[in-house]
């Protein structure tokens, strides 16, 4: 089958946009340059296109879906010119993984240097993302954080990360910053700066005591000293996972069970990001998320080229088998071609639908019509809407498909949280001022400054050979306080006035590091993400599973699913959520024998690919790195990185050498 275009311009467009076979994959930078040159190639009026499968959105979830589907179709000999199309609203792939070009050091000829202004890292408990990085041969550097916390005007550097690289947790030291007591003689820990009554006032670690109670690892409330009891009529005296049902939101839940002072202490600690505390979100859904989040490690992994490097590799692989992509083509309307959509089909599903025709409809019948800026796209078999809830709401996309999902309770559950980030670069030809803050001799570790100081809830110093080439940090991550400030400064910088943004960042860094001489930067770039990550609406009690099942089949009996991290609430704030939603859609609808789109040949091939991916790295089980419980991938490099650095912190060899220290020697 061939695509039938009205004009030859579209044929030329797709010839440019497609790589016709793996042997024609060209160098990464050259291919991306070709893609960027191709942007803006548009028809002058709407053209008709028909495809079997349409993916709306080229973020991580959409690209993962297109790659797995396209490669599976190609493997079984069913991939045609009009099989799979991706449309993307922007001019690049990766969505919130956005990377920016930075100034290269003189004479540098290694891999392209970029810095992230969106998502930047992953960790060993995020299984699909970790395995995709391994599958795509992307080198990642993994180490435990060093931490520096600020609170109420005082600060302390946490205990140094383990030098061996074998421990998987490090201290967040929320109890360590010292305060002078009212006698002006004795130093007291951070927790004692709060009036924590009862057990908590003498508890060596009041934050951990509270978190363990919230997750029901302990049934004694550290604020009252009483054992929780779900039969008690007072919600504050119930155990946390029952008590949360009685409070309007997470903040009132904390205040109810711990009291105002203790709740404030928790809100300023490292429970999560400050946006957790400053936004009204569902208490029980937060505990669901925090249960999984609590069981992660302090080790974080940074891919060379950022998380967008994974997206770019998935794009190249998709194009290599004939998947097409069009940029600057936001979906405007999505309509089903059938005018007799039943009333029951608009209800949230209560179970799996009965199968429609296997593998979709006949080739000359479309199920959906998607209108973009320049094209009318007829979708014959299946529609993957790989865009998050906030990118659909508020009239951004319309049509009867949108009408049918927007009123459903699970769709209304995700609640976006805004984030401002600022990346900053100093002269890459001179040693960075912050190197002395990092551990250069016993191993390389990434370092964070966080707390309530001067609008800087997170400053992140990433210490890998890739990052040492460029002298960049992410100086600002703000998801609660000062969002209006950062928005105004970023908008001014984008309009040609970067001076105030640069000065505000330098002012904050100089407050945080008063003993350092911080020079003027060569590059400052900010980004405001209106919906950077998602929690749950406080008044919506849809469960984690109800939301995931809804996204897998949002309208009973129809050939569409929703993909994105907003639909996988156990993984809020992590790209893993988008990958989990993609996996669930393909599994429920295409691989499972009772799936509406099940075709044995395609389903078996998709299942085989997922199984092969899962076998790349064994499931993580909280062991020491390099053991059976914590397998290290072939492209993962764990601290200490002594083989890469000299004692002064300079690289032993060029970044292009591919040096690898391998796994730490753990007993």
């Amino acid at each position: 089958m061939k695509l039938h275009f009205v004009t030859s311009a579209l044929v030329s467009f797709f010839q440019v946009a497609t790589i016709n076979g793996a042997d024609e994959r060209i160098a990464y930078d050259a291919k991306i340059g070709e893609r960027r040159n191709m942007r803006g190639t548009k028809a002058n009026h709407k053209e008709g296109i028909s495809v079997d499968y349409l993916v709306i959105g080229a973020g991580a979830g959409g690209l993962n879906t297109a790659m797995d589907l396209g490669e599976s179709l190609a493997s079984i000999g069913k991939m045609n010119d009009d099989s799979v199309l991706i449309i993307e609203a922007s001019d690049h792939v990766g969505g919130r993984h956005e990377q920016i070009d930075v100034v290269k050091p003189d004479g540098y000829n290694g891999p392209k240097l970029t810095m992230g202004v969106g998502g930047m890292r992953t960790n060993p408990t995020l299984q699909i993302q970790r395995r995709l990085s391994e599958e795509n041969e992307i080198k990642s550097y993994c180490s435990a954080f060093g931490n520096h916390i600020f609170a109420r005007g005082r600060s302390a550097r946490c205990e140094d990360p383990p030098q061996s690289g074998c421990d998987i947790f490090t201290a967040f030291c929320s109890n360590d910053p010292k305060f002078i007591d009212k006698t002006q003689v004795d130093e007291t820990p951070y927790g004692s700066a709060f009036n924590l009554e009862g057990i908590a006032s003498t508890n060596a670690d009041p934050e951990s005591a509270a978190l363990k109670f919230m997750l029901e690892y302990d049934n004694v409330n550290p604020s009252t000293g009483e054992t929780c009891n779900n039969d008690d009529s007072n919600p504050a005296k119930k155990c946390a996972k029952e008590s949360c049902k009685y409070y309007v939101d997470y903040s009132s839940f904390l205040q109810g069970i711990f009291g105002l002072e203790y709740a404030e202490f928790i809100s300023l600690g490292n429970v999560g990001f400050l946006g957790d505390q400053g936004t009204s979100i569902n208490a029980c859904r937060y505990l669901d998320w925090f249960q999984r989040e609590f069981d992660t490690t302090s080790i974080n992994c940074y891919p060379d080229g950022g998380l967008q490097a994974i997206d770019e590799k998935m794009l190249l692989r998709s194009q290599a088998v004939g998947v097409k992509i069009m940029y600057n083509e936001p979906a405007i309307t999505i309509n089903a071609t059938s005018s007799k959509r039943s009333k029951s089909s608009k209800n949230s599903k209560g179970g799996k639908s009965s199968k429609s025709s296997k593998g979709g409809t006949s080739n000359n019948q479309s199920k959906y019509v998607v209108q973009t800026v320049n094209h009318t796209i007829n979708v014959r078999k299946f529609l993957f809407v790989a865009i998050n809830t906030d990118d659909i709401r508020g009239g951004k996309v319309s049509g009867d498909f949108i009408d049918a999902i927007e009123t459903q309770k699970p769709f209304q559950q995700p609640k976006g949280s805004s984030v401002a980030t600022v990346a900053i670069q100093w002269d890459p030809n001179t040693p960075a001022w912050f190197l002395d803050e990092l551990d250069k001799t016993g191993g390389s570790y990434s370092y964070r400054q966080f707390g309530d100081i001067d609008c800087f809830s997170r400053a992140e110093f990433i210490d890998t050979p890739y990052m040492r080439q460029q002298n960049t940090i992410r100086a600002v991550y703000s998801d609660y306080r000062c969002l209006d400030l950062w928005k105004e400064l970023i908008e001014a910088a984008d309009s040609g006035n970067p001076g105030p943004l640069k000065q505000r960042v330098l002012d904050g860094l100089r407050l945080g590091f008063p003993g350092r001489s911080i020079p003027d930067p060569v590059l400052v770039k900010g980004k405001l993400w209106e919906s950077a990550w998602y929690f749950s609406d406080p008044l919506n009690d849809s469960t984690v599973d109800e939301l995931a099942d809804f996204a897998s089949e949002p309208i009973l009996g129809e050939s569409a699913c929703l993909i994105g991290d907003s639909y996988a609430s156990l993984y809020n704030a992590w790209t893993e959520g988008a990958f989990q939603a993609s996996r669930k859609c393909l599994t429920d609808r295409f691989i499972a024998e009772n799936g509406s789109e099940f075709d044995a040949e395609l389903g078996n091939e998709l299942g085989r690919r997922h199984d092969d991916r899962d076998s790349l790295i064994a499931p993580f089980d909280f062991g020491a790195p390099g053991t059976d419980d914590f397998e290290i991938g072939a492209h993962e490099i764990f601290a200490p990185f002594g083989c890469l650095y000299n004692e002064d912190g300079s690289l032993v060899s060029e970044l292009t050498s591919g040096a690898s220290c391998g796994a730490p020697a753990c007993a």
Side-chain angles (χ1 to χ4, degrees):
M1 294 178 290
K2 300 293 182 182
L3 285 171
H4 299 288
F5 302 118
V6 176
T7 69
S8 61
L10 284 173
V11 176
S12 298
F13 178 91
F14 278 132
Q15 287 173 343
V16 173
T18 306
I19 304 174
N20 296 312
D23 58 333
E24 294 185 25
R25 292 185 191 177
I26 59 178
Y28 176 87
D29 287 342
K31 183 60 199 171
I32 300 308
E34 174 189 332
R35 173 166 61 77
R36 285 174 176 162
N37 290 334
M38 178 190 70
R39 293 172 187 164
T41 304
K42 298 180 179 179
N44 293 324
H45 56 281
K46 295 186 188 299
E47 306 290 356
I49 301 174
S50 293
V51 295
D52 288 339
Y53 304 97
L54 179 65
V55 180
I56 303 177
L63 289 168
N64 185 198
T65 303
M67 180 186 73
D68 285 350
L69 180 62
E71 289 186 338
S72 295
L73 288 167
S75 180
I76 63 175
K78 293 184 177 180
M79 186 68 179
N80 300 294
D81 289 344
D82 58 351
S83 290
V84 184
L85 171 64
I86 307 169
I87 58 173
E88 166 57 35
S90 72
D91 65 352
H92 63 274
V93 300
R96 286 164 287 158
H97 291 168
E98 184 176 345
Q99 297 281 118
I100 60 169
D101 294 336
V102 298
V103 179
K104 295 187 297 184
D106 294 343
Y108 178 78
N109 61 357
K112 183 178 181 181
L113 296 179
T114 61
M115 174 63 182
V117 290
M120 296 172 61
R121 54 186 166 88
T122 182
N123 77 52
T125 64
L126 306 175
Q127 306 280 31
I128 298 179
Q129 184 166 6
R130 188 181 179 205
R131 290 161 177 160
L132 278 167
S133 184
E134 179 73 10
E135 179 179 303
N136 287 286
E137 300 181 348
I138 295 172
K139 187 180 294 184
S140 294
Y141 290 84
C142 307
S143 64
F145 272 129
N147 291 303
H148 190 178
I149 189 170
F150 285 83
R152 291 190 170 185
R154 302 297 177 95
S155 71
R157 178 158 183 165
C158 304
E159 180 181 348
D160 285 337
Q163 299 299 298
S164 69
C166 294
D167 285 354
I168 61 175
F169 299 107
T170 52
F172 293 112
C173 71
S174 61
N175 199 44
D176 290 346
K178 303 300 181 187
F179 298 81
I180 303 299
D181 72 356
K182 59 187 176 183
T183 68
Q184 300 297 308
V185 176
D186 294 328
E187 287 189 342
T188 59
Y190 167 39
S192 299
F194 294 81
N195 182 25
L196 305 181
E197 300 294 339
I199 293 175
S201 62
T202 56
N203 192 302
D205 191 348
E207 181 184 35
S208 292
L211 301 186
K212 289 177 181 178
F213 178 75
M214 287 164 57
L215 296 177
E216 298 189 358
Y217 293 146
D218 192 335
N219 61 2
V220 176
N221 187 324
S223 177
T224 64
E226 298 178 358
T227 300
C228 63
N229 179 7
N230 286 337
D231 293 328
D232 198 301
S233 60
N234 184 348
K237 295 187 176 183
K238 296 179 183 290
C239 297
K241 294 182 181 179
E242 180 65 23
S243 176
C244 68
K245 301 174 184 177
Y246 294 84
Y247 291 93
V248 172
D249 64 1
Y250 177 62
S251 294
S252 60
F253 162 71
L254 285 183
Q255 294 167 3
I257 63 174
F258 292 135
L260 295 176
E261 189 83 0
Y262 207 154
E264 183 182 359
F265 169 66
I266 295 301
S267 74
L268 293 177
N270 195 56
V271 177
F273 295 84
L274 293 181
D276 304 4
Q277 318 299 327
T279 304
S280 180
I281 56 178
N282 186 288
C284 293
R285 296 295 77 77
Y286 184 84
L287 292 183
D288 291 336
W289 169 81
F290 189 51
Q291 181 76 64
R292 187 208 57 76
E293 188 73 5
F294 193 78
D295 291 334
T296 61
T297 72
S298 301
I299 290 175
N300 287 277
C301 298
Y302 294 89
D304 280 357
L307 293 177
Q308 196 174 40
I310 304 174
D311 304 322
E312 299 281 15
K313 284 290 185 72
M314 291 191 295
L315 171 65
L316 291 175
R317 285 176 55 183
S318 298
Q319 290 180 305
V321 296
V323 174
K324 312 298 191 303
I325 183 167
M326 296 193 300
Y327 296 92
N328 300 308
E329 291 284 356
I332 298 172
T333 62
I334 304 173
N335 288 292
T337 54
S338 172
S339 61
K340 296 181 179 180
R341 177 180 283 154
S342 67
K343 183 176 180 180
S344 63
S345 74
K346 296 186 180 183
N347 296 326
S348 181
K349 73 179 189 179
K352 290 295 173 189
S353 65
S354 59
K355 282 188 285 187
S356 58
S357 57
K358 290 185 178 181
T361 61
S362 62
N363 293 327
N364 60 1
Q365 180 183 353
S366 63
K367 294 185 174 183
Y368 293 97
V369 176
V370 177
Q371 203 76 48
T372 72
V373 175
N374 298 296
H375 300 99
T376 298
I377 305 171
N378 295 285
V379 183
R380 291 188 292 257
K381 291 188 177 181
F382 202 88
L383 176 66
F384 301 93
V385 182
I387 47 181
N388 283 305
T389 51
D390 279 11
D391 294 318
I392 295 174
R393 294 172 176 148
K396 295 176 183 177
V397 188
S398 62
D400 61 21
F401 175 82
I402 302 301
D403 293 341
I405 65 172
E406 274 195 315
T407 57
Q408 295 190 53
K409 185 177 177 180
F411 183 83
Q412 297 170 354
Q413 189 222 63
K415 180 176 181 178
S417 180
S418 298
V419 169
T421 67
V422 181
I424 186 167
Q425 181 186 25
W426 288 271
D427 183 359
N429 296 300
T430 59
W433 66 268
F434 52 82
L435 280 180
D436 287 339
E437 292 290 332
L438 306 174
D439 177 13
K440 297 182 299 189
T441 55
S444 284
Y445 295 91
S446 298
Y447 177 64
R448 290 185 300 185
Q449 170 191 283
F450 64 99
D452 61 358
I453 182 173
D454 193 47
C455 299
F456 285 75
S457 59
R458 289 289 194 283
E460 196 160 337
F461 302 78
I462 306 166
D463 189 26
T464 70
Y466 180 82
M467 297 304 295
R468 283 205 184 184
Q469 302 293 318
Q470 46 182 295
N471 285 358
T472 60
I473 68 169
R474 185 162 71 185
V476 174
Y477 175 101
S478 181
D479 62 3
Y480 169 34
R481 292 189 173 99
C482 310
L483 272 174
D484 287 345
L485 164 74
W486 293 117
K487 180 179 181 180
E488 292 171 4
L489 294 176
I490 290 168
E491 288 175 349
D494 290 344
S495 299
N497 183 20
L501 176 63
K502 180 183 78 171
Q503 190 59 51
R504 192 68 178 85
V505 172
L506 288 175
D507 288 346
L509 288 172
R510 287 165 179 161
L511 278 174
F513 299 93
R516 302 290 178 195
S517 176
I518 302 177
D520 279 352
V522 297
L523 177 68
V524 179
K525 176 62 178 177
K527 183 78 175 184
L528 179 72
W529 302 97
E530 295 289 355
S531 298
W533 52 330
Y534 290 83
F535 280 111
S536 300
D537 184 272
L539 303 182
N540 191 307
D541 61 358
S542 296
T543 67
V544 169
D545 289 340
E546 285 171 348
L547 177 59
D549 287 342
F550 161 76
S552 174
E553 192 170 3
I555 303 173
L556 282 175
E558 293 203 12
S559 297
C561 64
L562 303 171
I563 293 171
D565 58 292
S566 63
Y567 309 110
S569 55
L570 281 185
Y571 296 91
N572 290 324
W574 294 104
T575 304
E576 179 75 8
F579 294 134
Q580 292 283 347
S582 172
R583 173 74 67 95
K584 182 169 176 58
C585 170
L586 292 175
T587 298
D588 289 358
R589 308 300 298 276
F590 290 83
I591 298 173
E593 291 188 6
N594 65 339
S596 63
E597 314 303 311
F598 177 72
D599 170 85
E601 195 174 19
L602 177 59
N604 289 339
E605 180 60 23
L606 281 166
R608 182 193 66 79
R609 288 181 178 276
H610 289 172
D611 290 343
D612 287 350
R613 183 172 300 144
D614 292 345
S615 69
L616 290 174
I617 301 176
F620 172 80
D621 196 23
F622 293 96
T627 65
D628 289 343
D629 292 329
F630 191 161
E631 183 181 359
I632 293 179
H635 299 89
E636 292 179 332
I637 303 167
F638 276 68
F641 306 142
C643 69
L644 301 180
Y645 296 121
N646 296 307
E647 288 189 3
D648 65 356
S650 61
L651 287 174
V652 171
S653 55
E654 293 299 320
L655 180 59
T656 53
S657 69
S660 173
C661 300
C666 298

